[in-house]
Amino acid sequence: MSPPPTPLSPTLVGAPRHTQRPSIKLKISSSDSNIVNATVVDAAGRSLYSISSNSKRTTLLSCGNNAEVATVDWDRSSPRMVFRGKKMRCKEWLPLAGPETESRILTHGDAQFTWMPRSTSGYLIPANRPGLAVAKWRTKSHTDELRLEIFQEALVEPGLLEAIVLSVVLLRSGRPLGDSFEAITLLNPRFYSDGGFTR
């Protein structure tokens, strides 16, 4: 007699709605595929963060108190950033997981996560619970809108929400982080235009 089938995990795609994990859903709307000029709004349409850029710098502001969350300076071969008052290289804050991968490591306090991006989506996987995403993003078909869902496990960690938003901005900026040209082109195929840089 064969053993009974294993029950489906509530985290699997297609599981009944009442078993879904608590989360917040954000929308990042921009004028093009690179979200360096955009607004982050919640499900109620409230603006949480604004992202503004020129050719040299990207600034992430909290709309609640108009406080600067982070800045990224692009005008060098290895872009620098300031996050929570600390200066660092982007490639050191969000390093590649390996020499032949587009996945990147996000470290927050003592916890480590891996962004596993695809061309139109990405999943943030904690090192201590492989396979269980604490955040995910996807781009909406035929628009320049990005949907970001962050689950309760990440929301209870102070400061992790801002770190996730900033990491998505870097991943979807369409600009090199200073460590792998190939990884950027895989993340955003529209980085090229007429055989050269779009920016």
Side-chain angles (χ1 to χ4, degrees):
M1 181 177 180
S2 59
T6 302
L8 290 174
S9 166
T11 61
L12 294 176
V13 175
R17 179 171 295 275
H18 67 273
T19 63
Q20 290 183 353
R21 297 150 60 205
S23 66
I24 62 169
K25 295 181 179 180
L26 307 178
K27 181 173 67 174
I28 305 178
S29 298
S30 63
S31 58
D32 55 37
S33 61
N34 301 330
I35 60 173
V36 292
N37 286 290
T39 303
V40 183
V41 300
D42 63 13
R46 294 177 296 235
S47 297
L48 302 183
Y49 302 98
S50 68
I51 308 160
S52 59
S53 303
N54 54 35
S55 60
K56 295 183 177 181
R57 171 173 288 191
T58 292
T59 302
L60 177 65
L61 292 178
S62 172
C63 294
N65 54 8
N66 204 36
E68 186 177 276
V69 176
T71 59
V72 182
D73 291 318
W74 304 103
D75 58 342
R76 57 193 70 201
S77 58
S78 182
R80 291 347 190 237
M81 57 182 278
V82 178
F83 182 42
R84 300 194 184 104
K86 184 178 180 181
K87 296 180 180 180
M88 66 203 92
R89 290 181 173 88
C90 295
K91 67 179 182 181
E92 295 172 350
W93 185 72
L94 196 65
L96 287 168
E100 297 182 1
T101 179
E102 59 191 83
S103 298
R104 289 186 177 271
I105 303 297
L106 174 63
T107 301
H108 182 76
D110 295 329
Q112 190 175 86
F113 307 85
T114 301
W115 268 118
M116 302 181 65
R118 303 292 183 266
S119 60
T120 60
S121 63
Y123 301 86
L124 186 63
I125 309 297
N128 62 346
R129 299 182 70 183
L132 185 70
V134 297
K136 60 182 180 180
W137 62 263
R138 64 179 176 84
T139 54
K140 191 175 180 181
S141 300
H142 310 302
T143 73
D144 292 313
E145 185 177 283
L146 184 144
R147 301 292 180 94
L148 174 62
E149 183 172 10
I150 303 174
F151 294 95
Q152 186 175 23
E153 296 93 329
L155 296 173
V156 298
E157 295 293 331
L160 185 52
L161 171 61
E162 290 180 345
I164 290 174
V165 171
L166 177 57
S167 64
V168 171
V169 171
L170 293 178
L171 288 171
R172 296 298 299 175
S173 68
R175 302 184 181 188
L177 301 189
D179 51 9
S180 174
F181 185 80
E182 289 79 6
I184 296 298
T185 61
L186 284 171
L187 285 172
N188 193 342
R190 290 172 65 180
F191 182 72
Y192 286 107
S193 176
D194 298 327
F197 296 109
T198 59
R199 298 183 181 270

